[in-house]
Structures are given as structure tokens and as C-alpha cells.
């Protein structure tokens, strides 16, 4: 299998801007070429678009706008982990030899049709993800004796970390009291426990080993990939306090990269809601079951940015199709030591965790310098 | 690169049935497993869904319905060539070693939102593809001195061939007079010159060399792949009488398979409208420019099914996301000598041509026994 690395990226601020998906896609693509003017558009073999937008033919449209005539061009959708699905697809095009240089651009509008999964009748009358996240929160708190105040630390920490990320949707910090007193959505969920849908765009260029060596002075390699879909319906989950698809994807990704979870220096994980952060940490093996809130509190108290340095989904906002790409860009910056005030010292190996629909589907990537 | 082959398929009749996209997807998947009961669902590494439907998370939904827990799961969209984009993506997952067995299912409803490309303002007030196909028809007829009656032979031939295809949408034959006297849509287009949107589903399983040898007694290999996107906007085409993206994709696919166009025994090409058949034949090099109507007439007169044996899009109907997969199934059947009355004798090498949006994007596949 050919080695695959990350050559460049472009990302723009996450906002509530009301503009066309085609323009949003173009925003981070322009930024990418501004950051990487040495990359020739004529060398790009594939353009993959990650989005939940209902607009069609977005890859050829983006290609035309950007002046690219790719061989391979299409859109990829799998709700909230569309971004990492697109990166893995780009990886496979390069590793198979069908492409040497692939642009992956993810974008979403704040009012994305991917925010709700109409099909999942197991969510009862509540189609919105707050239904499953409420049940996750109630189950996790009950099983492990965790209070609302303890769980609120996730939101406090990630909003704090987002302050150092100029592209984040949130620019405010909050106290534990402010989180637990924010608008009550259900018995177990407050507004500040939720990542917010927003408008955002993120682009990345992946390349073959030769292209990476030619075009990047500070390359980052994708050395581990794990993906798993266990179901589509929320109630098919075997547990409401851990993430089975994440466990399986994590094991496969670590095995492929020949790493242990203890080798991971920095991690972007899918905190769509506060409870997802401890559940993901535990499912990935970074903590024992029910014990990760201690770790999260310590990271917060010591200003250690190891988990969700860019502010996670809670701090950054969640433009669905862009999220997995933005997570991957953050880990790239960390491994390149270009994350400024968010920098986690001595980051050599990083992990991305991106999931969909109550963790019925997960992607885990391992990245190395 | 690992060799990739076709292990099995399932296809169901193309209709105007009004049912949910999830059920339509499941129809051909069920058929596939009925035809291939020796394939274990637990061995399937990836499920790719090809569709223009606005419904989300269709790959995990189809997987849950079919009893599959794949590693890789997502939807792929690129308007009318979504199907072959999905097949090429499956190919890359297998060739890269990320997957050994991939299910690709395409489906569409008759009222697909992919029928119109709102973005393309170069189509003026006519968003529907009849705009560009009218200009193609007028340009082709004028440049090469072709009459409406001559062009009508494409529709006559393909409707005739579809009679031998039990899954085709059309079950009628038409005379040249009936085609030219059918409802006039524009100066240069009659209703019977158009493929009709319909409800349809087609599934295919691709595998690595080891899996193909283990699971298929009559394997077909994908030996050539070419893809090209030149633009998204109709008027960016450099010619209205030939297909530049098809030329480029065809050359790459033939080169990869080490074949000449004269080696091709049977071909499925994208006759979205009558004029597309001669334009594609010429762009692929099967005929000189402006000369292919003679070839088409001879094929018709001699009952030779070499071009579009299943009846093409005009005879079969055009369920967008399923079309490229249905074309690939037809060539598979031809190479396996299981095409019954449609069988083209001594078919050893076949070609699939699938395109989108006025040929701004094309895929060409070469298949071999």
C-alpha cells in the first residue's frame, strides 16, 4: 500500500452566515491555495466534497470554481462523519494508485438537513439528536454516579480552549454554574452541553509519498484508519454508556498504525454533546469506564489542551460535513507544532475520532509526524 | 495494486413505483443475496450507496436493513454518474487493501432531485437537461448533416433491445415515424428521444482477487478505469458535437487495461438522449466523427446488440443513482454469457460509459472475463 500524507489545508471561521453551499465550499478551498501557492491545480487528480447539503454535483462545481479538472469527482455523505469518510476515501484513491493528489473539501450551512435523521423512528417523537444525547447523559450519570456539575466541565473546558482558536464559532468562556443554568432542553441536557450547528468550511490536500516529499516541508502521515458502522437506529446500540463502533474503529486504527492508545499525544474527539467526551475517551481506552471525568477535570484544571485542543465541537460549532476535516487539520497543526496557544508540547502522534448518529458509526484516524 | 473483480449482482425492474428510497435500495440488495446465498453478510467490509436522493445516512440504514455491519459506509453523489463513481470508489478501497468485499447499491425514485441542476445558470431559463440535449442535437445534426429521422434510429434500436430485458422500464417498440411524431419538447427533441426518469435499484458486489476466486465461478474483472470532469457548467464544454470528458476518460481506461477500442466486444453507453449515442461512440473512438449513425443503423438492421444491449437509458429508463451500476451488471452478464436473448456472441471485453450533466463529467470502465 502506498503511504499517504497531508500536504496542506485551508480553514475559515465557523459562523451563522447565510450563503450558498457552493460559496461556503469555495471559502476554505481558496484559503488552501492561498496557503499552498506551490501546489498546481493541474496536478490534482480528485476532488471529494463532504457535505449533508441537498445541492447536487458539488464536486464538479467546486472544481470549476477553483480551476481544477479532476479525474475523480463526487460528493460523500454519512451525516456527521462525512468528513472523515471523505478523508478515508481520498486515502484509498491514493493508496490504490488511482490518484496522487486529492483535495477534500467539507462544508455545511447552519441549517443543514443533516441535523435530523427522519428515518430513525426509534427516537420516538424526538427526531433531533438531543433525544439520544439525553438518554446517553441520563444513562452515563446514573451508571457512574456523575452529577450535572461534573459533566458541565466538558463544556467549560472546550469553550475555554476555543478562545485560542480564531476560527471557532464560540468566543466566550462559561463557568460550571452558567452551563448548568443555561436553557434546559430536556431533564438531562442544557443548551451549553450541545455543539451548535453552524456554517463552516474546511479543506485538506492528501498526497502519495512522492507528492508529500515533493510538496511538504513538514509532512504529517495518516498511519492508522479504523471505521465501523454497527447500525443506523439509535436503540440498536448495545450500550447507552459507551460507544461500540468507536471501540471497534479505535482498535483497528491503532493496530494498523502499530501504536498503543498510550502513545497518543493529542486527540480531537467528537463531543457533539458533553457526555460524548467521557464516553469516547473511555471507548478509545484512554480511561477506564466511568472514570474519565477525573481526567477531563484534571486537563481543565491544569490548562492541558490534550483533548479537543481546537475547542471540540462544543467550542468550535459543528458544520457537519466540515467537522471531520477541521478535526484532522487541528491534529495536523499540533503535529507540525503550528497550533500557537493551543499547542500541546511534544505532539508526535495524534488521533481523530469522528462519529455519526448516536455513535452508530465511527471513524478513528491515527496521524504521525 | 490488488486485482478487483465482480462477484455478484442483484437488479429489480425499473418502474414508476412510489415508495421510499430506503425500500428501493433494499430491493436489489435482497435480490443480490438471493442470487448469492453463499456470500456471508459478515464478510462485507464496505457498503456504498449511490443516489441523488436527499435522504441521509442511507448506507448505515441499508446496512441495518440487510444485516451488515460494515467498516466503511457512506453515500456517493455526482448526478447521473454516481453509480460508476461508487464502483470506482469500491475498486479503490479493495485495491488499496482497506476492504476485501464491497457492496455497492444504487437507487433512485422517479422524482429524483438530481434531474435538474439548479446551479447551472448557463442553461438559461431551462434548468432541465432537455436544454443541453436540444443544443447537442441541433449542433450534431447541423455539423454532420443528420436528419431527425436518422437520429430517431437510436431510440428505435434501444426500445427494441429493451424488449429482451425484463427489468427495463419500456416494454414497447416504436417506428422511426412514431419517434419523430412523438411529443415535441423543443425544436430538436421529441419525447421518445429522451430517457425517462424512473424508480430503480441495482446492486453489485466487488471483491479482491482472493475473494473473487473463492466466491465466483464466473468472474469478471475491472481492468480499466478512466474518469474526467472538465467543468460543471454546460457552456464550458469545448464542443457541442463531441464529449471531451468521455474522450479523456476513455483513453485512460483503455490504456490502463492495455486494450484498443477495437478490442471492445460489447458496450453500455450513456444514451440519456438519442444524440448522446453517436456522440459517445465517436468520442470513444468506435467511429469517426459524424459517421456513427451509419454504424448504429447497421447494428439496428442486423439485430446486433453490441451497443446498449439492455436497451440503454432510453429503453431501460434512467434511475440516476442506479444507472451506472445497471450498465455494469449488463456488461457482467454479457461477459458471463448469461444475457439470454440479449447476448452478444463471444463477448470477452466490455466497456461501460456513464456521464453527468451534458458530459461535463464521464466515467469509462473496461471489464474482462
Amino acid at each position: 500500500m502506498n503511504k499517504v500524507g497531508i500536504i496542506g489545508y485551508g480553514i475559515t471561521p465557523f459562523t451563522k452566515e447565510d450563503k450558498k453551499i457552493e460559496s461556503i465550499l469555495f471559502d476554505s478551498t481558496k484559503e488552501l491555495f492561498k496557503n499552498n501557492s506551490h501546489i498546481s491545480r493541474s496536478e490534482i487528480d480528485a476532488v471529494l466534497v463532504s457535505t449533508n447539503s441537498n445541492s447536487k454535483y458539488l464536486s464538479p462545481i467546486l472544481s470549476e470554481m477553483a480551476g481544477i479538472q479532476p479525474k475523480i469527482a463526487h460528493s460523500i455523505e454519512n451525516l456527521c462523519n462525512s468528513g472523515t469518510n471523505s478523508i478515508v476515501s481520498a486515502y484509498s484513491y491514493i493508496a490504490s494508485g488511482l490518484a496522487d493528489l486529492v483535495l477534500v473539501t467539507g462544508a455545511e450551512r447552519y441549517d443543514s438537513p443533516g441535523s435530523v435523521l427522519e428515518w430513525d423512528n426509534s427516537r420516538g417523537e424526538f427526531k433531533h439528536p438531543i433525544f439520544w444525547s439525553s438518554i446517553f447523559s441520563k444513562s452515563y450519570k446514573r451508571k457512574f454516579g456523575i452529577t450535572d456539575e461534573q459533566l458541565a466541565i466538558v463544556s467549560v473546558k472546550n469553550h475555554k480552549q476555543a478562545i485560542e482558536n480564531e476560527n471557532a464559532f464560540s468566543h466566550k468562556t462559561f463557568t460550571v454554574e452558567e452551563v448548568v443554568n443555561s436553557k434546559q432542553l430536556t431533564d438531562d441536557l442544557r443548551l451549553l452541553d450541545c455543539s451548535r450547528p453552524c456554517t463552516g468550511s474546511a479543506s485538506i490536500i492528501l498526497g502519495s509519498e512522492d507528492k508529500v516529499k515533493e510538496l511538504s516541508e513538514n509532512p504529517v502521515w495518516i498511519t492508522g484508519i479504523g471505521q465501523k458502522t454497527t447500525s443506523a437506529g439509535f436503540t440498536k446500540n448495545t450500550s447507552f454508556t459507551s460507544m461500540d463502533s468507536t471501540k471497534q474503529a479505535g482498535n483497528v486504527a491503532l493496530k494498523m498504525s502499530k501504536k498503543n492508545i498510550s502513545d497518543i499525544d493529542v486527540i480531537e474527539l467528537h463531543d457533539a454533546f458533553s457526555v460524548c467526551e467521557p464516553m469516547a475517551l473511555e471507548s478509545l481506552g484512554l480511561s477506564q469506564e466511568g472514570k474519565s471525568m477525573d481526567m477531563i477535570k484534571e486537563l481543565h484544571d491544569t490548562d492541558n489542551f490534550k483533548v479537543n485542543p481546537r475547542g471540540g465541537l462544543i467550542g468550535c460549532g459543528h458544520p457537519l460535513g466540515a467537522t471531520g476535516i477541521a478535526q484532522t487539520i487541528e491534529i495536523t497543526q499540533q503535529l507540525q507544532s503550528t497550533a500557537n496557544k493551543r499547542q500541546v508540547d511534544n505532539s508526535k502522534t495524534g488521533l481523530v475520532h469522528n462519529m455519526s448518529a448516536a455513535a452508530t458509526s465511527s471513524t478513528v484516524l491515527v496521524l504521525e509526524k
Side-chain angles (χ1 to χ4, degrees), chain A:
Chain A
M1 207 191 292
N2 298 324
K3 261 180 96 175
V4 177
I6 294 164
I7 292 173
Y9 55 81
I11 185 164
T12 43
F14 292 180
T15 65
K16 282 275 177 185
E17 221 177 335
D18 182 10
K19 58 185 190 180
K20 290 198 171 187
I21 190 71
E22 292 84 355
S23 304
I24 305 167
L25 279 163
F26 192 41
D27 281 344
S28 65
T29 307
K30 264 188 303 190
E31 188 69 18
L32 182 147
F33 284 111
K34 208 170 80 181
N35 300 342
N36 298 276
S37 54
H38 63 301
I39 298 178
S40 162
R41 286 154 170 81
S42 67
E43 288 185 285
I44 294 175
D45 297 311
V47 174
L48 303 181
V49 163
S50 163
T51 188
N52 288 257
S53 164
N54 289 341
S55 296
K56 308 302 173 199
Y57 214 43
L58 288 172
S59 169
I61 290 169
L62 176 64
S63 298
E64 182 178 322
M65 291 167 82
I68 302 167
Q69 293 191 316
K71 293 193 287 188
I72 300 150
H74 58 77
S75 297
I76 288 178
E77 180 276 316
N78 200 51
L79 291 179
C80 302
N81 70 8
S82 303
T84 50
N85 267 284
S86 304
I87 288 173
V88 176
S89 186
Y91 182 102
S92 79
Y93 281 120
I94 296 165
S96 69
L98 285 181
D100 286 319
L101 213 52
V102 180
L103 169 66
V104 181
T105 298
E108 209 73 50
R109 277 174 56 91
Y110 65 90
D111 59 354
S112 168
S115 303
V116 168
L117 182 58
E118 291 291 348
W119 175 86
D120 188 2
N121 290 319
S122 77
R123 299 184 188 182
E125 63 189 296
F126 303 102
K127 297 294 179 196
H128 193 274
I130 62 170
F131 180 67
W132 60 257
S133 58
S134 286
I135 293 187
F136 277 5
S137 297
K138 187 183 282 296
S139 305
Y140 188 84
K141 288 189 296 178
R142 185 188 286 162
K143 183 165 180 183
F144 300 117
I146 301 293
T147 64
D148 287 335
E149 285 72 16
Q150 283 178 283
L151 212 49
I153 295 281
V154 173
S155 176
V156 172
K157 171 176 82 65
N158 291 351
H159 278 103
K160 182 186 71 177
Q161 290 173 188
I163 292 288
E164 308 300 344
N165 177 0
E166 59 184 4
N167 294 315
F169 178 66
S170 166
H171 304 290
K172 274 193 207 167
T173 57
F174 297 94
T175 64
V176 166
E177 290 65 38
E178 285 171 317
V179 173
V180 295
N181 291 321
S182 65
K183 186 177 174 187
Q184 184 168 356
L185 303 177
T186 71
D187 277 359
D188 296 283
L189 209 63
R190 305 294 181 281
L191 184 64
L192 288 171
D193 286 313
C194 307
S195 61
R196 255 79 51 86
C198 63
T199 298
S201 180
S203 291
I204 198 162
I205 286 206
L206 287 88
S208 61
E209 187 167 8
D210 286 350
K211 285 285 176 194
V212 170
K213 287 181 176 165
E214 177 194 336
L215 296 168
S216 174
E217 290 179 351
N218 200 355
V220 167
W221 303 96
I222 298 177
T223 60
I225 293 173
Q227 294 189 288
K228 189 69 187 179
T229 293
T230 51
S231 66
F234 161 62
T235 52
K236 294 265 177 175
N237 273 315
T238 52
S239 163
F240 293 155
T241 57
S242 68
M243 298 172 170
D244 188 29
S245 65
T246 297
K247 280 185 196 175
Q248 295 190 54
N251 288 337
V252 171
L254 288 167
K255 194 176 165 190
M256 179 173 163
S257 68
K258 301 188 179 72
K259 294 283 172 188
N260 294 311
I261 191 68
S262 56
D263 297 322
I264 301 299
D265 301 310
V266 59
I267 173 169
E268 273 290 321
L269 62 78
H270 197 101
D271 58 324
F273 300 91
S274 294
V275 73
C276 297
E277 186 160 305
M279 283 173 68
L281 285 172
E282 295 164 20
S283 297
L284 289 165
L286 279 153
S287 161
Q288 283 186 290
E289 277 210 353
K291 300 286 186 201
S292 63
M293 283 313 309
D294 297 341
M295 174 185 169
I296 291 168
K297 185 163 188 316
E298 196 191 326
L299 291 172
H300 170 262
D301 291 348
T302 58
D303 274 332
N304 184 331
F305 277 49
K306 178 176 177 173
V307 175
N308 280 328
R310 73 186 179 113
L313 281 64
I314 288 178
C316 285
H318 183 22
L320 312 185
T323 285
I325 298 164
Q327 292 178 306
T328 306
I329 291 171
E330 176 67 25
I331 297 299
T332 301
Q333 291 177 317
Q334 291 286 342
L335 301 186
Q336 292 180 329
S337 298
T338 57
N340 300 321
K341 290 189 178 171
R342 303 187 311 280
Q343 186 63 47
V344 177
D345 290 342
N346 298 315
S347 290
K348 294 195 176 69
T349 308
L351 186 145
V352 174
H353 165 256
N354 186 205
M355 66 170 206
S356 290
T360 49
S361 175
S362 293
T363 307
V364 175
L365 306 177
V366 177
L367 275 60
E368 292 180 70
K369 284 223 265 211

